[in-house]
Amino acid sequence: MKILPGAPARLARAWLWLGVLALIGSGVLAVLLVLSRTPGIQDFFPLKSLFRAALVVHVDLSVGVWFMAFAAVIWSAAGRAGFVGLGWTGFGLAALGTAALSLSPFFPGAEPVLNNYIPILKQPLFFGAIVVFASGMMLTVARALLTVRPGGMADPWRLGAFLGAVAAFLSLSSFGWSWLAVPVIQETIYFEVLFWGGGHTLQFQHALLMVVAWLSIAAAPGEQTVGASPRAVSVMFLVAAVPLLAVPAIYLLVPVGSMPHMDLFAKLMIWGHPYMAPLIVLAAWSLFGLRTLPANPAKSAFIASLILFVLGGVLGYLIQGVNVVIPAHYHGSTVGVTLAFMGMTYVLLPRLGFVQAEGQMAVLQPYVYGFGQLIHILGLAWSGGYGVQRKVAGAEQMLTTLPQKIGMGMMGLGGLIAVIGGLMFVVVCLRAMFRRRER
Ligand code: HEM
């Protein structure tokens, strides 16, 4: 995976900085969320009244900015040098939107609305931040579609990156179409409907780019370590992208915002993600191929990522009703993607002109983050089985039984270990990114 010097490398470095900063912000807020929900600690934790606003920004900085910024790292690294102005304008708008989004909770009137996918603060600065960020991402996705050339079936890595950009384009277009089509009402349901179609479509972008990250880790030691031929891998990517064809079909054929429209996107999630199965099996097989290689940070991340993503997928099919099994599923899947991106960061650092991340802390970091999340997720899934509600904190959780308290205690312990793992990633990355590799 060769990264062209000049604009492709510079843009990839800039997006990596934005992504890491967003992950730091999301991680700091995760501490507040965890302590507001941990039995015992919740009773005297002074900041739990900020739980709802913190949850909004935690989600938007993580699945919003971190994931989109890292997608732009992949598209910049995989792309050619053209349309530089488009690239930097997109980055500038996204960075500006991220700054405004992070500051908005400190301004008056920041009323949290906890809808799915992109929760919001009902406040002009926050709305402005979302629109500016989305505009920056639309320019970035347009540049990706213009500069990432899949190169037929011989280059599955670039084909995967390109299909990820197609998913992003469909998702951002869905947000725009819903914005134009859904009548504005002041209720939470409006934001739920507004972000439903695009939010579901985004999950296909994240999953496709997670596999691109896995492949870059598997291929790092040499092309032969990916467990199938480039042509076969390309076919698997095309199969995984087939469900995306349903997105414009649902928008064109079913009234936007209607129950059937919402229902079809929920079904697209259930029936669409299994198309990823061949790529998941390939990843497990490629990982098996890496077993004899010495321990390194990217390999650790690949192992932890695959375990969490598969666990998140299984939990997704165990969701019954509204309870904390839902965030257990979310964290399995999204932290699986996050760990894949962390692993790819370790592969990219020296190729972007930074020094290599090495040493025991770098090798252990993904395991600490992954193990913490594993406990966090199992605690949430167990508590969900005992009816603990999502998105509530403190006494509002009504943790009355011992199983509920044990489960949310596990959530708290695992969450804090994961935060330490996240902190280790930031330290390892910043150490490497503040030093440039000798030419
Ligand atoms: C240090 C790691 C993390 C910890 C400890 C953590 C903790 C939490 C907690 C306690 C909640 C509130 C759950 C509830 O009240 O229902 C939450 C919600 C959420 N987090 Fe995280 N989180 C972490 C990392 C991430 C990452 C990396 C992502 C995505 C990239 C993410 C995505 C989400 C989402 C989407 C929700 C909303 C869940 C829902 O709608 O039910 N989190 N997180």
Side-chain angles (χ1 to χ4, degrees):
M1 168 193 37
K2 189 155 174 14
I3 303 172
L4 295 175
R10 273 199 292 276
L11 278 165
R13 282 196 292 267
W15 282 110
L16 185 60
W17 274 109
L18 182 64
V20 171
L21 291 174
L23 198 61
I24 294 173
S26 160
V28 169
L29 292 166
V31 177
L32 191 157
L33 298 179
V34 164
L35 295 179
S36 302
R37 296 210 67 164
T38 303
I41 297 175
Q42 64 176 24
D43 304 325
F44 55 78
F45 182 60
L47 300 177
K48 65 177 173 282
S49 59
L50 299 175
F51 176 84
R52 292 164 61 82
L55 182 55
V56 168
V57 184
H58 167 75
V59 174
D60 293 341
L61 282 179
S62 56
V63 282
V65 181
W66 158 240
F67 275 5
M68 295 310 281
F70 203 86
V73 169
I74 294 177
W75 296 325
S76 307
R80 300 177 174 207
F83 305 95
V84 177
L86 196 60
W88 285 114
T89 311
F91 174 78
L93 288 172
L96 185 66
T98 304
L101 183 146
S102 308
L103 293 173
S104 59
F106 305 102
F107 284 75
E111 186 203 334
V113 177
L114 300 183
N115 53 286
N116 282 307
Y117 292 112
I118 304 182
I120 65 142
L121 297 175
K122 246 198 231 175
Q123 180 214 51
L125 177 62
F126 183 91
F127 288 137
I130 291 280
V131 172
V132 169
F133 181 81
S135 314
M137 287 322 301
M138 200 41 148
L139 297 180
T140 303
V141 171
R143 182 178 182 275
L145 293 171
L146 292 165
T147 59
V148 177
R149 300 284 167 74
M153 306 294 270
D155 188 346
W157 189 77
R158 276 192 175 74
L159 175 63
F162 182 81
L163 292 170
V166 171
F169 176 77
L170 288 172
S171 167
L172 291 168
S173 308
S174 302
F175 289 138
W177 191 324
S178 294
W179 190 13
L180 296 171
V182 176
V184 178
I185 52 172
Q186 287 311 318
E187 302 314 314
T188 303
I189 188 68
Y190 167 70
F191 299 106
E192 196 71 44
V193 174
L194 181 63
F195 296 124
W196 191 262
H200 281 76
T201 310
L202 265 182
Q203 307 318 308
F204 289 91
Q205 171 201 319
H206 304 327
L208 284 165
L209 295 181
M210 173 190 68
V211 177
V212 167
W214 283 342
L215 282 185
S216 69
I217 298 169
E223 293 306 326
Q224 280 63 43
T225 45
V226 174
S229 71
R231 174 173 285 278
V233 181
S234 296
V235 170
M236 293 180 199
F237 265 117
L238 291 170
V239 169
V242 165
L244 288 171
L245 298 171
V247 176
I250 298 173
Y251 269 88
L252 286 166
L253 302 173
V254 188
V256 179
S258 64
M259 277 320 287
H261 189 266
M262 306 264 293
D263 199 38
L264 280 169
F265 272 105
K267 288 207 169 57
L268 181 64
M269 213 61 165
I270 296 170
W271 301 113
H273 278 302
Y275 284 69
M276 292 277 300
L279 286 171
I280 307 281
V281 172
L282 169 73
W285 181 237
S286 306
L287 191 53
F288 185 70
L290 296 179
R291 69 191 179 289
T292 54
L293 289 179
N296 67 66
K299 182 179 167 186
S300 312
F302 193 174
I303 295 169
S305 167
L306 192 63
I307 294 171
L308 279 170
F309 189 76
V310 170
L311 175 65
V314 171
L315 286 169
Y317 289 97
L318 296 178
I319 293 173
Q320 281 177 342
V322 177
N323 56 54
V324 283
V325 176
I326 296 174
H329 157 62
Y330 278 3
H331 285 92
S333 312
T334 59
V335 172
V337 175
T338 293
L339 277 157
F341 290 172
M342 286 175 169
M344 187 172 175
T345 302
Y346 290 136
V347 171
L348 286 178
L349 285 171
R351 298 175 193 208
L352 293 175
F354 301 120
V355 299
Q356 177 91 45
E358 50 201 358
Q360 205 47 16
M361 177 145 97
V363 172
L364 287 178
Q365 180 274 320
Y367 292 132
V368 175
Y369 191 72
F371 176 71
Q373 275 296 345
L374 188 65
I375 304 296
H376 180 234
I377 289 165
L378 293 177
L380 284 170
W382 164 293
S383 309
Y386 286 93
V388 176
Q389 285 308 299
R390 57 196 284 225
K391 304 185 184 181
V392 287
E396 235 189 307
Q397 299 185 80
M398 297 189 287
L399 302 177
T400 49
T401 67
L402 186 60
Q404 290 176 333
K405 290 177 182 162
I406 291 173
M408 291 309 280
M410 273 176 73
M411 180 287 300
L413 175 67
L416 293 179
I417 296 172
V419 167
I420 293 167
L423 209 55
M424 289 164 71
F425 176 71
V426 171
V427 170
V428 169
C429 267
L430 294 185
R431 263 202 206 140
M433 291 165 78
F434 275 120
R435 286 159 49 210
R436 300 304 289 275
R437 201 167 43 122
E438 303 307 321
R439 295 258 171 261

